[in-house]
Amino acid sequence: MSSAGSASDEEAQELDEQRADWTRRILVVAFVASTLALIFYHLQTTKAGLSSALYLITQIVTTIGYGDIAPTRRLHRALIALYVLLALVVLAYFLNNFVKMLTDREEEFMMQVIEQAGHSDIVHEQLRDDRLWGKNTQFCKSTVLFLSYIAFGTIFYSTYEGCSCGYGSTIVEGCDPTSYETCSQGKNPGQIKDVVSAFYFSVITLTTVGFGDLTPMTVVGRYIGIFWMLTGVVITANWVGQLTTLFLERNDHAEKKKLLQKVQTLVDEVFAKLDYDNDDALTRAEHHLYMLQKYGLLSNATLASLDGHFDKLDEKKSGQVTLEQIRVFETQPTYALGAMYI
């Protein structure tokens, strides 16, 4: 590639990074501004306290949606609907960045395997064992954190809100908050959270199921709940992600180990399959395919697909493909739609 072409690519990459940076800034500013505007409108129209406004926003952002506080005015409902749509756009943007980060990590690991191609198979097996150990460690850490959040919710809400009469729009009329006995045994008892109920409430909340039969009923409970829900939902999502990754990693580890053992015992067969010109020697390209398949980076299905793509280009069956043939093929109308499936 010429220096002019390299400079052009670098400029294009820099421009893409600037656009991504500005997109991120615009989304963050729009989300923060709309959050503040919605809180202000809620305070002005409902005359509720700040805790209720923040509590409502938290339910929207975390998708818990208890339903104990809901908008009643048309304008309020319209604003919240628009806010939810904006929140989805922001969530999709950052999820995309998260997936890209995972993809980059996978590519980095594949590069490590390729860079160790000159070493023994024991080195490659050690790389995969280390990777699996790392996934196990991450899962254990996320599990401890996830269970800690459930334990906190269970202990806090079963003690501080063992029985609550609520306040504001969620107040239980006729409930006597003087003591646990008067609250729980009166004519109109308050909301009771014993240990089992608080555990149930914590799990239902952190998993964003949010039935709404049990909710934070005090000012302190809601302020604590705002932080607990916002961070807890993220921790729960991380735990589910780590668990999914661990299952995938273990399956992949077992498959790669079997493949490595199979290749070690069937080297002649793999060699013969990739020696396309049958000269008992591998060219540079054939060697690359051999190493990729040996270490599980190239499946038989992908290799067969690549062979099929080559055969389409090599109409004269010469065993070679020219640059002109590639250009002609890629300018065909069907290529743009079908190339991704080849």
Side-chain angles (χ1 to χ4, degrees):
M1 183 180 291
S2 65
S3 58
S6 299
S8 178
D9 291 340
E10 290 178 359
E11 290 177 358
Q13 184 177 358
E14 183 179 354
L15 182 59
D16 289 339
E17 291 176 354
Q18 290 177 354
R19 287 174 178 172
D21 184 54
W22 274 107
T23 301
R24 181 169 56 253
R25 292 181 181 182
I26 291 172
L27 285 176
V28 170
V29 170
F31 184 72
V32 171
S34 60
T35 299
L36 295 176
L38 189 59
I39 291 174
F40 178 78
Y41 180 83
H42 184 83
L43 293 174
Q44 293 297 314
T45 56
T46 63
K47 305 303 180 182
L50 180 61
S51 62
S52 296
L54 294 175
Y55 177 64
L56 175 63
I57 294 294
T58 302
Q59 289 192 55
I60 295 173
V61 173
T62 59
T63 70
I64 292 174
Y66 289 132
D68 52 341
I69 295 181
T72 56
R73 299 176 179 231
R74 294 180 62 186
L75 180 58
H76 199 182
R77 287 176 175 175
L79 291 175
I80 286 183
L82 294 174
Y83 181 77
V84 170
L85 294 176
L86 176 61
L88 289 176
V89 173
V90 174
L91 178 63
Y93 177 81
F94 285 101
L95 279 178
N96 175 69
N97 288 343
F98 178 71
V99 172
K100 184 178 182 301
M101 180 187 70
L102 294 180
T103 304
D104 291 342
R105 286 184 179 179
E106 186 66 25
E107 291 180 355
E108 182 180 351
F109 174 73
M110 293 177 67
M111 289 302 300
Q112 289 178 353
V113 173
I114 294 174
E115 288 172 359
Q116 297 292 335
H119 296 77
S120 65
D121 294 329
I122 297 177
V123 175
H124 294 272
E125 189 170 352
Q126 185 62 44
L127 278 175
R128 297 193 183 279
D129 288 342
D130 291 343
R131 179 182 170 94
L132 180 59
W133 173 258
K135 297 298 182 183
N136 280 318
T137 302
Q138 292 176 8
F139 171 70
C140 290
K141 291 179 179 178
S142 65
T143 299
V144 170
L145 193 56
F146 175 57
L147 294 179
S148 298
Y149 262 65
I150 292 179
F152 172 82
T154 302
I155 295 171
F156 174 78
Y157 286 101
S158 65
T159 54
Y160 190 81
E161 290 192 3
C163 184
S164 175
C165 296
Y167 76 100
S169 61
T170 60
I171 192 171
V172 179
E173 297 294 342
C175 176
D176 184 359
T178 304
S179 65
Y180 179 84
E181 287 71 21
T182 58
C183 175
S184 61
Q185 299 175 10
K187 184 178 180 180
N188 293 315
Q191 187 180 97
I192 300 173
K193 295 189 187 78
D194 55 19
V195 174
V196 174
S197 297
F199 171 73
Y200 157 82
F201 162 73
S202 299
V203 173
I204 293 301
T205 297
L206 295 181
T207 55
T208 72
V209 174
F211 287 129
D213 51 341
L214 295 177
T215 61
M217 295 287 285
T218 63
V219 175
V220 175
R222 285 183 181 174
Y223 274 121
I224 294 294
I226 289 168
F227 175 80
W228 178 65
M229 286 188 285
L230 285 173
T231 56
V233 166
V234 175
I235 287 171
T236 303
N238 177 63
W239 179 76
V240 173
Q242 294 293 345
L243 179 61
T244 304
T245 302
L246 181 61
F247 283 145
L248 293 174
E249 189 64 31
R250 285 186 173 180
N251 291 337
D252 184 67
H253 184 270
E255 291 176 2
K256 293 295 191 299
K257 199 167 186 178
K258 290 179 181 178
L259 179 61
L260 187 59
Q261 292 173 348
K262 181 180 179 181
V263 172
Q264 289 172 338
T265 56
L266 300 175
V267 171
D268 292 342
E269 179 182 330
V270 176
F271 187 97
K273 180 172 63 175
L274 295 174
D275 182 17
Y276 291 100
D277 47 10
N278 298 316
D279 60 353
D280 293 328
L282 297 180
T283 64
R284 181 182 293 272
E286 292 169 346
H287 165 267
H288 294 348
L289 291 175
Y290 170 80
M291 297 302 294
L292 288 173
Q293 187 163 51
K294 179 178 180 181
Y295 295 113
L297 302 178
L298 178 66
S299 66
N300 288 328
T302 303
L303 182 60
S305 180
L306 292 173
D307 285 338
H309 184 262
F310 184 89
D311 292 338
K312 289 181 180 180
L313 293 173
D314 186 21
E315 296 178 350
K316 297 181 180 180
K317 307 303 178 184
S318 62
Q320 294 180 335
V321 173
T322 64
L323 177 60
E324 184 62 28
Q325 287 175 304
I326 293 176
R327 286 175 174 171
V328 171
F329 183 81
E330 293 184 353
T331 54
Q332 294 178 2
T334 58
Y335 177 79
L337 295 176
M340 66 183 70
Y341 302 107
I342 294 176

